[in-house]
Amino acid sequence: MSVRELMTLCFEHRLDGRDTDRCVKSIAPNLLDPERPVIPIPMQTREELLHMMKTADAAHILIDGGIFHFNALFTDVATCPAARVYYMRTPDLMAVARLGVFMKDHGVDLKPVRGEDFAALIQQAQYPERHRRWLDRWTSNQRPFKGLLDGRTKNTVVDQGIWLSSNGGCLVCGQPTDRMATSSFIGGNGVMLGLQLCADHEAEAKASPSLMHYVAQSAKVPPPAFAENVEELTAQEIVALSCVAIRDQLDCAIEKVDGTTITAVRPSGFRLILRQDSPMHYAYNIQDRDGKPLSRIDSADHHAVDYGPDHVHRDLSRKKKNEVESSFTYGFAVADLTAIRSLVEHAEAAATRHGP
């Protein structure tokens, strides 16, 4: 979501300027520049600017190089190292007069500020060190999410992630936390959302239709379009969708379906046996032509992996069957096709190299 789209959403749902700025801060990592101590955000109408000025930390006119900048400045740098300035600018003196009168008529009396005064307001001199400290914290806080996202993009249909930065605190209340909450939205591709919540707000989030719905509710805005109409699939729907996916995308013939377990055969004669009882109880098994187990992905919680309990056994031979690593899978074959394809193609290639 772009800043403009976010601002429009906030305006449409009548968030005040401070709550709007809070939303903008959540996506600030995409806007920050280590050389620029302020994030400039243009307003499209004088009404938008007035809306932001009413709750701004400072509202003023800055003259720079013959250009008049009407600024609504938010200077809180506790969770975002750069100040945010919502502005309109013009070199036209008549336009300046009209805009100044409009603001005054609506209770905003703008004072002129000089460049050095503006620099003091945004704490410009302290910005390099402030940005360095923030970047260290942000990198540390989002490192677990980045590791999970990297694994998901390599093994599932997820191809992008959104990390809502809250500077090591709960996104809702700001209390320090080391807990990470994630949610994914799977369509033709996938989007993974990540953020930090304290234990209490994590419990609240679990009662919402999705994590994105909870975040949107907390921000007093509707969820984005991709999170709308989220419905839990039935076991029968999961099986039906999985059959279509492995038939069309993994070139399999469906041999049989027994409850939530699908047995499918590749042209090579290798079998895929996919059991999907639930996202917390599933297994994808690869067998050779004689029914010998070769590899498996499953959710059994009996291995120590970085991102678990979901894990992959790449080799089920006696010597290596306990060598596992995080699989990053969801327990829904449609989402996990990349990981399943990798296992079966590796097994087939090994059989070709070693001969019958």
Side-chain angles (χ1 to χ4, degrees), residues 132-178:
R132 184 195 63 77
R133 293 198 308 268
W134 171 86
L135 184 60
D136 288 345
R137 290 194 303 270
W138 182 81
T139 301
S140 176
N141 292 334
Q142 63 92 43
R143 186 177 291 116
F145 177 76
K146 185 177 185 303
L148 181 59
L149 179 61
D150 288 347
R152 288 271 163 85
T153 56
K154 292 174 183 175
N155 292 281
T156 73
V157 296
V158 165
D159 61 4
Q160 60 180 304
I162 301 170
W163 174 252
L164 299 181
S165 176
S166 53
N167 204 38
C170 173
L171 186 70
V172 177
C173 68
Q175 291 297 313
T177 182
D178 59 0

Side-chain angles (χ1 to χ4, degrees), residues 17-65:
R18 196 152 294 279
D19 280 340
T20 299
D21 181 63
R22 178 169 168 258
C23 290
V24 170
K25 284 193 293 183
S26 73
I27 62 171
N30 301 310
L31 312 173
L32 288 171
D33 182 335
E35 304 297 326
R36 187 172 62 187
V38 64
I39 299 172
I41 303 169
M43 299 289 93
Q44 294 185 342
T45 68
R46 63 184 188 178
E47 287 77 16
E48 289 183 355
L49 182 60
L50 172 65
H51 184 80
M52 298 306 295
M53 282 185 166
K54 285 182 177 179
T55 54
D57 295 315
H60 57 250
I61 301 174
L62 171 67
I63 306 173
D64 182 22

Side-chain angles (χ1 to χ4, degrees), residues 258-272:
D258 182 8
T260 59
T261 300
I262 302 167
T263 302
V265 184
R266 292 267 288 179
S268 63
F270 280 49
R271 279 180 169 76
L272 281 62

Side-chain angles (χ1 to χ4, degrees), residues 30-280:
N30 301 310
L31 312 173
L32 288 171
D33 182 335
E35 304 297 326
R36 187 172 62 187
V38 64
I39 299 172
I41 303 169
M43 299 289 93
Q44 294 185 342
T45 68
R46 63 184 188 178
E47 287 77 16
E48 289 183 355
L49 182 60
L50 172 65
H51 184 80
M52 298 306 295
M53 282 185 166
K54 285 182 177 179
T55 54
D57 295 315
H60 57 250
I61 301 174
L62 171 67
I63 306 173
D64 182 22
I67 305 295
F68 294 82
H69 297 76
F70 286 73
N71 292 339
L73 182 64
F74 289 76
T75 58
D76 171 32
V77 293
T79 57
C80 173
R84 285 77 54 208
V85 60
Y86 304 86
Y87 72 93
M88 295 183 74
R89 63 186 180 186
T90 178
D92 185 342
L93 288 176
M94 293 300 294
V96 169
R98 288 193 297 269
L99 189 52
V101 170
F102 173 80
M103 293 298 172
K104 189 168 186 178
D105 287 346
H106 288 82
V108 178
D109 191 12
L110 299 173
K111 299 289 192 296
V113 299
R114 299 172 300 176
E116 55 267 34
D117 297 326
F118 182 74
L121 284 171
I122 63 174
Q123 303 176 57
Q124 180 172 332
Q126 296 79 31
Y127 180 67
E129 176 61 19
R130 192 165 66 241
H131 182 274
R132 184 195 63 77
R133 293 198 308 268
W134 171 86
L135 184 60
D136 288 345
R137 290 194 303 270
W138 182 81
T139 301
S140 176
N141 292 334
Q142 63 92 43
R143 186 177 291 116
F145 177 76
K146 185 177 185 303
L148 181 59
L149 179 61
D150 288 347
R152 288 271 163 85
T153 56
K154 292 174 183 175
N155 292 281
T156 73
V157 296
V158 165
D159 61 4
Q160 60 180 304
I162 301 170
W163 174 252
L164 299 181
S165 176
S166 53
N167 204 38
C170 173
L171 186 70
V172 177
C173 68
Q175 291 297 313
T177 182
D178 59 0
R179 308 172 75 92
M180 179 179 72
T182 67
S183 182
S184 300
F185 301 88
I186 308 299
N189 51 14
V191 178
M192 191 173 82
L193 172 72
L195 56 116
Q196 291 179 278
L197 293 174
C198 65
D200 290 342
H201 287 117
E202 184 178 61
E204 281 186 4
K206 290 179 180 178
S208 295
S210 72
L211 184 60
M212 181 59 85
H213 280 79
Y214 180 71
V215 171
Q217 179 186 17
S218 300
K220 304 174 187 177
V221 298
F226 67 77
E228 288 286 20
N229 302 316
V230 175
E231 296 182 4
E232 188 172 346
L233 295 172
T234 66
Q236 292 78 11
E237 289 170 330
I238 290 172
V239 168
L241 290 169
S242 298
C243 284
V244 171
I246 61 177
R247 182 195 68 199
D248 295 348
Q249 298 188 48
L250 297 184
D251 195 20
C252 288
I254 306 301
E255 188 173 70
K256 67 176 180 177
V257 175
D258 182 8
T260 59
T261 300
I262 302 167
T263 302
V265 184
R266 292 267 288 179
S268 63
F270 280 49
R271 279 180 169 76
L272 281 62
I273 302 176
L274 284 65
R275 174 176 55 80
Q276 299 172 101
D277 295 335
S278 77
M280 298 302 294

